[in-house]
């Protein structure tokens, strides 16, 4: 029968695993996801996926639970399981070989709309039953909406953020549905007032085909593993791996309660608009389980900082895995000992049409800060992803669609310190784990010039173990275009722990040329140089940049851990821990690979 789910072994294996086979299968499953990722990177064409690596690939059990992943984007990996289960339940009886599903709706397990998930069932060669799912999720630079880049800082409902797709069979029996894709990505989103369809459908379609190919690569490798060991052994060790992760998290929870001297933990932090995110953790020391209750979290907001439930689970599973000092794959077992309670009508359980593009990238960071604070694990990192988008095209003032393009990037900051380590300078923290585009590629492909990109000295929190420094990134736009910034920690500092100082807040400054046509330059005045204004545009803004205007983004630093009197009074060299600079980035990695060939 098409779409039949293969009979599953017990999720709690009765026989103990062979430790050698357990390690072998854990690495084989992870290698499948890694190979999928390499395929996706090599066959994609967008800067977002090919250079910035803003994608994830993973392997899922026939019941939709996460089995294994490579170290891609944490916020993708926890929520992808929700998407797989939603599609599995929706199409359970109709899936057949050659079918590929596409979705991005937060209601259907998505994170935010630019993150499009491609899901492919894996059928047994003999029984034709579903034995696994492969899935990939990539952030696409533009999927329509009111602004280029599809991350509008001012969106108040999901229709302004671009194309929303609950479920679309992008490949049906091996046939790619181009017309259906255009309908979902271009025609439907443009029907909403003020919104456009995808501004560059050719690039998006190409990257979606790369995701489909990556999933197929995973299917081939899964079949190879099944052929080597047999399906029953493969699925048995799939659940052994999950049981191992579950046991590891239970031991972690018991250890936390022991160190804290209490089985109740509390923490609260706030978004820049004052919305609280509150957490109470109640630990059962006997079985190593815990209830994470977010009661007291603020109401759904009118803006886009609402986070879907799947994003909350992603942040929690990331924290559990990050606190484990064990080399195990992140999988569904990490969540088994946890019960997550989310209050209805809160910003962590938003209504179906609520705007969410900022919740996935900003609120998720605050959830991580709150969880790590409750578990007393580390000081706050920058707590932001500093989302920058710019581009052209969309609807003009007469409602006419104009072809264009969009670009999106996230910018590093400082990471938080902990008991025994300094924070790291200029790094993507927690849920992002992406690169930033190389300057050569950025300036070659887009009409801008990068003036400055370096550490923001003095932004780190001071303490026994000091936080990491944020960065400064200054861009000049060489032609007029719409530029948007979506950021947090612009009014509230990243907290320190155990008396450590907080990291510095971020700041976004528009260096604007004075122009006669803007009314801020008198035509009768003579100037030796072009005068400028420096305007703090706040954490969330969209600006029409003129030619020659610049945007200076100063990202937050990380919080410190513990009190250090010498550092507080400026007697210690805060850069003493920094090792010699080493070249990093795709160009340096390519050179290293060529040298080692």
């Amino acid at each position: 029968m098409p779409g039949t789910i293969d009979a599953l072994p017990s999720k709690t294996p009765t026989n103990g695993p062979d430790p050698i086979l357990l390690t072998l299968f854990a690495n084989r499953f992870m290698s499948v996801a890694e190979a999928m990722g390499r395929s996706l990177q090599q066959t994609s064409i967008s800067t977002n996926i090919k250079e910035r690596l803003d994608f994830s690939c993973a392997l899922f059990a026939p019941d939709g639970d996460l089995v294994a992943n490579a170290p891609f984007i944490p916020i993708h990996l926890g929520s992808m399981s929700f998407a797989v289960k939603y599609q599995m339940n929706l199409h359970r009886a109709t899936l057949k070989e050659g079918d590929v599903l596409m979705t991005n709706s937060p209601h259907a397990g998505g994170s935010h709309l630019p993150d499009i998930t491609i899901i492919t069932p894996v059928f047994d060669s003999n029984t034709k039953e579903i034995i696994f799912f492969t899935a990939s999720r990539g952030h696409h630079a533009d999927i329509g909406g009111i602004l280029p880049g599809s991350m509008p800082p001012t969106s108040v409902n999901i229709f302004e953020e671009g194309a929303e797709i609950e479920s679309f069979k992008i490949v049906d029996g091996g046939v790619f549905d181009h017309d259906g894709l255009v309908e979902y990505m271009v025609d439907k989103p443009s029907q909403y007032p003020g919104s456009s369809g995808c501004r560059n459908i050719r690039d998006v379609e190409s990257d979606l085909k790369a995701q489909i190919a990556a999933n197929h690569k995973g299917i081939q490798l899964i079949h190879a593993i099944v052929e080597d060991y047999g399906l029953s052994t493969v699925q048995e060790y799939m659940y052994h791996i999950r049981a191992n992760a579950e046991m590891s998290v239970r031991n972690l929870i018991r250890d936390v309660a022991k160190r804290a001297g209490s089985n109740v933990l509390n923490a609260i932090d706030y978004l820049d608009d004052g919305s609280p995110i509150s957490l109470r953790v109640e630990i059962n020391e006997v079985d190593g389980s815990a209830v994470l209750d977010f009661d007291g979290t603020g109401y759904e907001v009118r803006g886009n900082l609402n986070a879907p439930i799947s994003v909350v689970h992603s942040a929690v599973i990331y924290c559990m895995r990050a606190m484990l000092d064990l080399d195990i794959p992140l999988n569904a077992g990490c969540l088994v000992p946890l019960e997550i309670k989310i209050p209805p009508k809160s910003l962590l359980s938003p209504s179906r049409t609520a705007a969410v593009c900022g919740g996935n990238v900003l609120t998720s960071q605050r959830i991580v800060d709150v969880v790590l604070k409750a578990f007393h694990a580390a000081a706050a990192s920058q707590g932001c992803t500093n989302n920058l988008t710019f581009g052209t095209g969309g609807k003009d003032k007469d409602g006419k669609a104009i072809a264009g393009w969009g670009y999106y990037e996230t910018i590093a900051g400082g990471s938080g310190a902990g008991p025994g380590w300094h924070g790291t300078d200029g790094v993507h923290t927690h849920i992002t784990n992406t690169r930033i585009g190389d300057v050569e590629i950025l300036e070659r492909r887009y009409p801008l010039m990068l003036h400055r990109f370096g550490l923001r000295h003095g932004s780190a929190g001071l303490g026994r173990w000091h936080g990491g420094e944020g960065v400064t990134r200054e861009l000049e736009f060489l032609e007029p275009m719409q530029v948007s910034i979506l950021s947090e920690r612009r009014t509230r500092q990243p907290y320190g722990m155990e008396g450590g100082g907080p990291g510095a807040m971020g700041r976004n400054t528009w260096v604007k040329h004075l122009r006669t046509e803007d009314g801020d330059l008198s035509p009768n005045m003579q100037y030796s140089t072009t005068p400028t204004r420096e305007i703090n545009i706040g954490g969330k803004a969209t600006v029409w940049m003129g030619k020659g205007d610049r945007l200076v983004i100063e990202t937050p630093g990380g919080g410190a851990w513990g009190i250090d009197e010498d550092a507080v009074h400026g007697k210690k060299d805060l850069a003493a821990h920094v090792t010699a600079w080493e070249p990093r980035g795709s160009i340096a990695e390519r050179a290293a690979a060529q040298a080692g060939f």
Side-chain angles (χ1 to χ4, degrees):
M1 287 289 292
T4 301
I5 304 297
D6 194 19
L8 301 178
S10 168
K11 292 187 180 182
T12 306
T14 54
N15 300 320
D18 179 277
I20 296 176
L21 280 178
L22 185 68
T23 302
L24 185 149
F25 273 105
N27 284 280
R28 285 292 293 268
F29 288 145
M30 288 178 64
S31 71
V32 171
E34 290 171 351
M36 291 170 63
R38 286 193 296 271
S39 171
L40 178 52
Q41 182 188 7
Q42 290 168 357
T43 55
S44 61
I45 65 169
S46 69
T47 303
N48 240 30
I49 293 179
K50 197 172 194 69
E51 275 85 30
R52 288 191 56 250
L53 307 183
D54 197 345
F55 66 84
S56 296
C57 300
L59 178 65
F60 296 85
D63 62 357
D65 279 346
L66 176 64
V67 173
N69 64 275
F72 294 116
I73 314 300
I75 204 64
H76 290 170
L77 297 166
S79 60
M80 282 172 71
S81 180
F82 283 78
V84 173
K85 290 181 178 180
Y86 188 94
Q87 300 302 317
M88 183 187 70
N89 292 329
L90 194 64
H91 297 279
R92 181 188 298 268
T94 61
L95 287 177
K96 59 186 180 297
E97 287 190 271
D99 286 353
V100 181
L101 303 172
M102 170 178 165
T103 181
N104 70 345
S105 172
H107 172 71
S111 43
H112 61 179
L113 298 184
D115 286 342
I116 298 179
T117 305
I118 298 296
I119 301 166
T120 309
V122 183
F123 290 85
D124 181 74
S125 301
N126 299 317
T127 65
K128 304 304 179 185
E129 296 174 330
I130 295 175
I131 55 174
F132 284 95
F133 288 92
T134 58
S136 55
R137 177 173 287 180
H139 185 111
H140 295 260
D142 192 282
I143 55 156
I146 59 175
L147 291 175
S150 305
M151 291 285 288
T154 56
S155 58
V156 295
N157 60 59
I158 200 164
F159 307 112
E160 297 180 338
E161 297 179 350
E164 181 187 11
I165 303 163
E166 182 177 344
S167 182
F168 167 49
K169 196 173 284 188
I170 189 171
V171 180
D172 189 350
V175 179
F176 185 83
D177 188 355
H178 169 78
D179 293 340
L181 179 65
V182 172
E183 179 184 359
Y184 274 107
M185 297 295 295
V186 179
D187 300 338
K188 287 187 175 182
S190 65
Q191 295 172 4
Y192 188 82
S195 290
S196 301
C198 177
R199 294 168 177 84
N200 193 351
I201 185 63
R202 292 179 61 185
D203 282 7
V204 170
E205 181 177 3
S206 181
D207 281 350
L208 288 172
K209 288 180 178 178
Q211 288 182 246
I212 294 169
N215 284 10
H216 183 68
K217 179 67 174 179
I219 292 173
Q220 292 176 318
L221 295 174
I222 285 296
H223 281 154
I225 297 175
V226 171
E227 186 176 340
D228 287 345
Y229 294 95
L231 179 60
S232 61
T233 300
V234 170
Q235 290 192 327
E236 178 186 354
Y237 273 86
M238 174 177 68
Y239 289 112
H240 279 310
I241 290 168
R242 186 163 70 178
N244 185 45
E246 175 187 344
M247 180 186 66
S248 300
V249 171
R250 291 188 186 277
N251 290 336
L252 168 69
I253 292 172
R254 293 188 185 100
D255 183 61
V256 167
K258 182 178 179 180
R259 286 187 284 107
S262 172
N263 63 349
V264 177
L265 312 173
N266 292 282
I268 190 170
D269 204 349
Y270 300 86
L271 298 172
D272 279 357
D273 68 357
S275 296
I277 295 180
S278 178
L279 175 63
R280 176 182 173 89
V281 182
E282 296 183 1
I283 296 174
N284 184 329
E285 298 178 66
V286 177
D287 63 4
S289 64
V291 176
L292 284 76
D293 190 348
F294 286 91
D295 187 41
T297 294
Y299 289 124
E300 176 183 313
V301 297
R302 182 174 180 268
N304 56 36
L305 294 181
N306 304 292
I309 289 175
S310 61
V311 168
V312 180
H313 282 74
S314 284
V316 171
I317 193 175
Y318 160 75
C319 290
M320 294 299 113
R321 178 61 188 86
M323 289 187 287
L324 286 174
D325 189 20
L326 296 170
D327 185 17
I328 61 172
L330 184 150
N331 61 63
C334 295
L335 282 178
V336 172
L338 307 177
E339 179 185 355
I340 301 174
K341 294 183 177 181
I342 301 173
K345 299 184 178 180
S346 70
L347 62 90
L348 303 184
S349 180
S351 55
R352 185 161 183 163
T353 59
V356 297
C357 70
N360 176 64
V361 291
L362 299 178
T363 307
S364 59
Q365 294 276 38
R366 197 67 72 258
I367 296 169
V368 170
D369 287 341
V370 170
V371 173
L372 296 181
K373 186 177 184 180
F375 280 83
H376 210 68
S381 292
Q382 66 160 334
C384 182
T385 46
N386 307 291
N387 304 267
L388 175 66
T389 55
F390 53 83
T392 62
K395 288 185 177 179
D396 63 14
K397 61 181 180 180
D398 299 319
K400 182 181 178 181
I402 301 174
W405 53 271
Y407 174 80
Y408 169 75
E409 70 178 21
T410 55
I411 304 172
S415 72
W421 71 86
H422 296 293
T424 303
D425 301 334
V427 65
H428 282 83
T429 57
H430 297 316
I431 62 95
T432 45
N433 198 36
T434 58
R435 284 179 178 171
I436 199 163
D438 289 323
V439 60
E440 298 90 348
I441 294 172
L442 186 68
E443 294 184 342
R444 182 180 179 86
R445 294 184 181 177
Y446 303 102
L448 59 82
M449 183 181 297
L450 183 64
H451 281 270
R452 185 167 37 138
F453 186 39
L455 295 180
R456 182 189 176 197
H457 296 292
S459 60
L462 302 179
R464 172 67 184 89
W465 304 99
H466 56 76
E469 303 275 18
V471 305
T472 300
R473 189 166 176 85
E474 181 177 352
L475 304 104
E476 178 184 348
F477 298 92
L478 304 181
E479 64 181 47
M481 71 181 71
Q482 214 159 22
V483 180
S484 300
I485 185 75
L486 181 58
S487 58
E488 274 282 310
R489 294 292 193 195
R490 267 50 181 178
T491 65
R492 297 175 185 270
Q493 295 174 277
Y495 62 79
M497 294 282 283
E498 291 293 308
M505 295 181 292
R507 181 171 54 197
N508 308 316
T509 306
W510 175 19
V511 183
K512 181 187 184 302
H513 283 279
L514 275 61
R515 298 180 180 87
T516 304
E517 58 269 28
D518 294 339
D520 52 13
L521 183 63
S522 172
N524 300 321
M525 296 291 292
Q526 298 295 321
Y527 300 93
S528 57
T529 59
T530 303
T532 59
R533 297 167 57 195
E534 294 187 1
I535 307 166
N536 185 338
I537 61 175
K540 300 163 187 67
T542 297
V543 176
W544 184 261
M545 293 275 179
K547 181 179 179 180
D549 286 357
R550 288 176 285 141
L551 179 63
V552 181
I553 302 168
E554 298 169 280
T555 69
W561 183 286
I563 299 174
D564 188 331
E565 294 297 332
D566 288 341
V568 169
H569 295 293
K571 298 178 181 178
K572 177 178 282 187
D573 179 9
L574 292 179
H577 72 292
V578 179
T579 57
W581 180 86
E582 295 181 0
R584 295 183 295 174
S586 60
I587 293 178
E589 289 177 3
R590 177 179 297 177
Q594 291 173 341
F597 181 73

